[in-house]
Amino acid sequence: MSEKKLKGQIALVTGASSGIGKAIAIALGEAGAAVVVNYYSGAEAADEVVNTIRQNGSDAIAIKADVSKEEEVFSMFGEIIQQYGTLDILVNNAGLQQDAAFHDMTLQQWQKVIDVNLTGQFLCAREAIREFLRRGLQPERSKACGKIICISSVHELIPWAGHVNYAASKGAIKMLMQSLAQEYGPKQIRVNSICPGAIRTPINREAWETREAYQSLMSLIPYNRIGEPDDVGKLAVFLASDDSDYITGTSIFIDGGMAVYESFADGG
Ligand code: NAD
């Protein structure tokens, strides 16, 4: 059995009923944290994640909330405090894409992606930081007063034609994360981003589902395999634990080398 590095800590993972969020929730539970599985739709999928975490020996509950709605985020945090007393770890994972050529992009498509991917991270981070400040540092829980992990993307660095709303939201998360790390470092709150490349989840199914699509995807990935949600889960445990206590304000790319621009491998 793996070491329980997060024993006694409470974690919230947003958008945790599928994909990367699900894998992170399960990995944090395996590391000993009690996990709040936030979901937007599909209570059954969220309950399955809760059951898996419980079977692995940690506590878990599911809470439905739209992270882009202030009132729903308030009530989710209220429920967490009522149930567990505090929060130690926030993983801002919920996100979506609404792709369109820029000249065809509607304001609704732009706004939806910004609301969920960016404002959702703002609303949850603000409530988490309020709770970290209220509780204060408790060295028996963790060396840090609180940890926030923002799920960003390689597209906080790599421009993405046809996905301008998504790339803009992830670029903004970089500055949200770094500014928070700067503002709350003196309070021992650590804030970092995980920047996945191509991970095998529902959000990018068309990029890996067929053999042709997978092969074409490999032309972007020096390491020559797609990422699995578990790859990200392990990194989230590291960033949530005291093993990474001196890391804050950083984006960690987990992308099989996508961000080193494979297309320049032969000299460009
Ligand atoms: P996914 O679609 O499986 O997960 C996204 C989750 O967010 C879903 O469970 C969805 O229900 C939830 N969600 C959507 N709107 C919500 C809302 N308003 N409130 C609460 N939850 C909401 O896809 P994924 O790949 O697991 O994506 C997770 C995160 O990883 C996203 O932020 C995504 O941008 C990021 N990411 C994914 C990849 C990849 O290759 N899969 C790459 C880079 C970044």
Side-chain angles (χ1 to χ4, degrees):
M1 190 185 283
S2 57
E3 205 187 330
K4 303 287 185 195
K5 294 191 171 185
L6 303 178
K7 198 168 187 320
Q9 296 190 52
I10 317 303
L12 164 63
V13 184
T14 65
S17 60
S18 65
I20 291 172
K22 174 180 175 176
I24 291 175
I26 291 170
L28 295 178
E30 278 173 354
V35 184
V36 178
V37 174
N38 159 256
Y39 69 100
Y40 175 61
S41 60
E44 279 158 34
D47 285 343
E48 259 177 52
V49 179
V50 165
N51 288 338
T52 304
I53 295 168
R54 287 183 182 162
Q55 278 159 16
N56 292 342
S58 286
D59 195 12
I61 55 168
I63 301 182
K64 181 174 180 1
D66 179 339
V67 296
S68 68
K69 302 270 162 50
E70 189 175 41
E71 285 308 319
E72 295 190 29
V73 171
F74 285 157
S75 88
M76 172 166 67
F77 273 79
E79 224 177 306
I80 294 169
I81 304 309
Q82 195 176 29
Q83 178 81 16
Y84 292 113
T86 190
L87 183 78
D88 301 277
I89 300 156
L90 165 66
V91 183
N92 260 333
N93 167 77
L96 47 74
Q97 288 178 215
Q98 293 208 352
D99 308 329
F102 186 67
H103 59 274
D104 289 331
M105 189 174 284
T106 62
L107 177 58
Q108 206 178 15
Q109 286 171 320
W110 170 266
Q111 199 63 56
K112 179 75 181 172
V113 170
I114 297 298
D115 283 352
V116 175
N117 294 14
L118 182 58
T119 306
Q121 293 220 11
F122 156 70
L123 289 171
C124 293
R126 191 182 58 175
E127 290 319 292
I129 286 176
R130 285 174 174 167
E131 173 53 24
F132 299 158
L133 295 176
R134 184 202 64 76
R135 168 175 40 76
L137 184 64
Q138 294 182 351
E140 68 281 8
R141 304 180 76 84
S142 171
K143 287 181 181 168
C145 180
K147 283 94 37 153
I148 297 178
I149 300 168
C150 303
I151 304 302
S152 179
S153 165
V154 287
H155 296 297
E156 73 166 44
L157 175 72
I158 304 176
W160 207 14
H163 311 257
V164 169
N165 46 1
Y166 183 84
S169 74
K170 297 300 187 179
I173 286 168
K174 177 171 189 279
M175 277 296 135
L176 171 73
M177 176 278 288
Q178 289 187 323
S179 302
L180 288 180
Q182 195 183 58
E183 191 164 342
Y184 294 101
K187 300 287 184 193
Q188 274 67 54
I189 295 170
R190 294 194 295 113
V191 190
N192 292 291
S193 285
I194 291 178
C195 299
I199 310 295
R200 194 193 307 269
T201 75
I203 211 174
N204 59 358
R205 187 179 294 282
E206 75 288 348
W208 50 262
E209 206 167 33
T210 65
R211 208 182 137 86
E212 297 70 40
Y214 188 86
Q215 263 163 3
S216 151
L217 181 63
M218 286 311 108
S219 71
L220 299 174
I221 303 176
Y223 202 60
N224 226 19
R225 75 163 171 87
I226 195 168
E228 301 297 340
D230 285 353
D231 290 317
V232 187
K234 288 177 210 158
L235 177 55
V237 169
F238 170 68
L239 283 177
S241 79
D242 284 349
D243 286 348
S244 61
D245 189 55
Y246 205 48
I247 299 179
T248 191
T250 293
S251 292
I252 299 186
F253 285 71
I254 179 161
D255 64 352
M258 188 181 257
V260 298
Y261 298 100
E262 172 80 345
S263 54
F264 280 81
D266 298 323

